[in-house]
Amino acid sequence: MVCIKTVSYRFNLNGHHSEYLQARRGLRQGDPISPLLFVLVMEYLHRCLRKLQDNPEFKFHPKCERLGITSICFADDLMLFTRGDVRSVQLMMDIITQFSAATGLKASPTKCRVYFGGVGEEVQQSILSITGFITGSLPFRYLGVPLMSRSLNVNMCRPLIDRITAKITHWTAKLLSYAGKQQLVKSVLFAITNFWMQVFHLPKCVTKHIEAICRSFVWSGKAEVTRKAPVSWKKVCEPKNAGGLNITSLSEWNTATLGKLLWNIQSKADKMWVKWVNIYYLKNQNFMTWQPKNDCSVLMKSLVACRDQITQTTYWQHVLQDGCYKTSRMYHSLRGDREQVPWRKIGFKNLARPRSQFLMRLALLDRINTKIRIQKFGIQTDLQCVFCAEQETINHLFFDCRWTRGVWVQMLQWIGCQHNPGNWHDEKLWLTREASKKGWRRQILKAAATELVYALWQNRNSIVFAQGTRDDHILDRVKFIVYTRCCRHRILVTHFDENTLCVE
């Protein structure tokens, strides 16, 4: 059997088929083909190849005969399938020559490969001389993913890991805050991985390595894997109401994407690849009870391996009833319900900046690296608070310190809250109760408290690491930030005095 991968790229104006003269009028040598015209010419090629079905001398690929498949085309990639004999390949190349003469599209010999399976050496040389192409080897990349005949391993996933590493090491990524790096992991890096997971069941070692890279990037800004992380990655992948950052867990998302393939096999009988699976693998058997043989494809074995895990979820019963599969809902069903943290509403609809919300979440989890916390890790450091002479704990830094406590009292008076700050634990409970109430004042309170925690921590870091000084105007900066954030809200902005920024 033979598979030929060709690449058509630009017009050659030597063609003169009447069906395309009008479409090609005005094109110059080397002009790229338009998408609409490309669809037209590829349809013409497909119809030419279909004529081979009526030729008794042409022999199909052993796994394509029942469906009459001779080609698969996407964009400028074309894959041709035929039995590994000289006559069948010659007939197919005659069609390609006819197509090139009619349309002016020619294959690039340097980009085309011939893949053999069970073909003798002499026949291989004859086929190569007919095609003018060179021999290829598996795996090769098609539509951005590798095609292979065996299980996916780490080396085959190296391009995926390299792309993620390249994104992280880009110079602009070094300027991102914690919240910015978190967003990059959630959107860009996940999208790159998701494209592969729609097709393959990634090995666990690959998903763990990718998550380790993302974890190191979020906490250190580097692609080198490090164990320095204030919060475990398992906790980071939890929903926000459970204290996490809602970053997708790759292993469970991969299972959810395979569930979509399972659902397509179960219900999408009109798809070509589903027809192929039913004819050559299932053979009119129910996929839910079907067991793969040893020579079955790796993907089918992966689907069977996760079949029970998917079908036992509560969402799968809704899929059978509604006839619609959504990967995100299956993902949440696989993860199950998570215990919610009591302070979850502090971050709900919080108008503070994302970087401030990120630090506030770390503070609520008691994961801020104060001096007393660093000492627990065996690091010797001065335990004295930068604002006074006492030991620096998270409770002391934000509420017990005389200066920071005074800032909190002024901030509460500015908002109009009659409350005397206590310790860190009591304040979390108080903020949680206030965040659960209705009204415009609680929205300003959540934003102001979040921004003040961030401002105090930044001022503390500037003193420790940059020989800075105490910022006595820190509350004024917090007021301005809260005001500018609330300006986007047409109701909240009416409660500010634009000249004094007082809350009325």
Side-chain angles (χ1 to χ4, degrees), residues 31-42:
D31 283 349
I33 183 172
S34 65
L36 182 60
L37 184 56
F38 185 81
V39 173
L40 177 64
V41 296
M42 287 297 104

Side-chain angles (χ1 to χ4, degrees), residues 244-497:
L245 297 177
N246 203 27
I247 294 179
T248 304
S249 174
L250 295 184
S251 59
E252 291 170 330
W253 181 264
N254 199 180
T255 303
T257 55
L258 293 179
K260 186 173 185 179
L261 298 180
L262 190 151
W263 169 247
N264 288 337
I265 294 176
Q266 186 74 4
S267 61
K268 305 290 184 179
D270 57 331
K271 291 181 176 292
M272 186 184 70
W273 75 272
V274 176
K275 293 180 180 179
W276 189 90
V277 168
N278 284 319
I279 290 176
Y280 287 99
Y281 283 148
L282 301 183
K283 299 178 181 179
N284 297 324
Q285 300 181 50
N286 186 356
F287 183 69
M288 295 304 167
T289 58
W290 174 78
Q291 294 298 326
K293 298 181 180 180
N294 293 332
D295 60 347
C296 191
S297 71
V298 177
L299 178 59
M300 296 300 294
K301 293 179 180 178
S302 300
L303 291 177
V304 172
C306 65
R307 180 177 57 193
D308 293 339
Q309 183 182 1
I310 294 173
T311 55
Q312 290 176 2
T313 59
T314 56
Y315 177 64
W316 183 256
Q317 303 304 321
H318 294 287
V319 171
L320 296 178
Q321 295 176 4
D322 301 338
C324 180
Y325 185 94
K326 291 185 178 181
T327 307
S328 58
R329 293 188 61 182
M330 175 57 73
Y331 169 76
H332 293 301
S333 182
L334 287 170
R335 290 187 62 81
D337 297 331
R338 293 294 192 271
E339 183 180 358
Q340 297 181 348
V341 292
W343 43 262
R344 61 188 179 277
K345 290 190 177 181
I346 297 178
F348 181 67
K349 291 186 178 180
N350 196 324
L351 297 178
R353 295 172 297 174
R355 63 181 65 185
S356 303
Q357 294 185 45
F358 189 94
L359 182 70
M360 185 64 167
R361 189 170 294 273
L362 288 182
L364 293 171
L365 289 170
D366 295 331
R367 292 296 188 272
I368 287 184
N369 288 329
T370 56
K371 293 182 178 180
I372 197 69
R373 176 177 167 80
I374 291 176
Q375 190 185 49
K376 294 180 180 179
F377 299 142
I379 301 175
Q380 298 299 324
T381 182
D382 178 22
L383 300 180
Q384 185 175 341
C385 174
V386 297
F387 302 121
C388 63
E390 299 183 26
Q391 286 189 352
E392 183 189 83
T393 62
I394 187 171
N395 180 54
H396 172 80
L397 180 63
F398 293 119
F399 293 104
D400 280 354
C401 180
R402 182 181 303 176
W403 180 74
T404 56
R405 186 182 183 86
V407 176
W408 274 100
V409 170
Q410 294 178 38
M411 187 268 289
L412 293 174
Q413 292 175 353
W414 171 64
I415 298 175
C417 294
Q418 303 298 325
H419 174 71
N420 186 27
N423 56 37
W424 177 242
H425 177 70
D426 293 340
E427 289 308 298
K428 284 198 298 184
L429 296 177
W430 180 78
L431 282 174
T432 301
R433 289 194 300 268
E434 292 297 315
S436 302
K437 296 179 181 179
K438 297 182 179 180
W440 58 270
R441 197 179 299 275
R442 59 106 181 180
Q443 290 184 285
I444 299 178
L445 173 62
K446 288 193 298 184
T450 304
E451 290 292 346
L452 183 57
V453 168
Y454 181 79
L456 291 173
W457 182 250
Q458 287 293 99
N459 189 206
R460 177 261 185 196
N461 288 342
S462 67
I463 298 174
V464 174
F465 302 109
Q467 290 77 44
T469 58
R470 192 178 71 184
D471 186 4
D472 293 327
H473 301 284
I474 194 170
L475 184 59
D476 294 334
R477 294 193 294 108
V478 170
K479 290 179 181 179
F480 179 75
I481 293 172
V482 173
Y483 171 72
T484 54
R485 300 291 292 183
C486 291
C487 281
R488 304 177 183 181
H489 199 291
R490 60 184 181 86
I491 297 179
L492 292 180
V493 71
T494 59
H495 297 282
F496 285 89
D497 187 327

Side-chain angles (χ1 to χ4, degrees), residues 66-79:
R66 297 180 186 177
L67 288 175
I69 299 174
T70 55
S71 63
I72 296 178
C73 179
F74 183 85
D76 60 350
D77 282 336
L78 174 66
M79 298 182 65

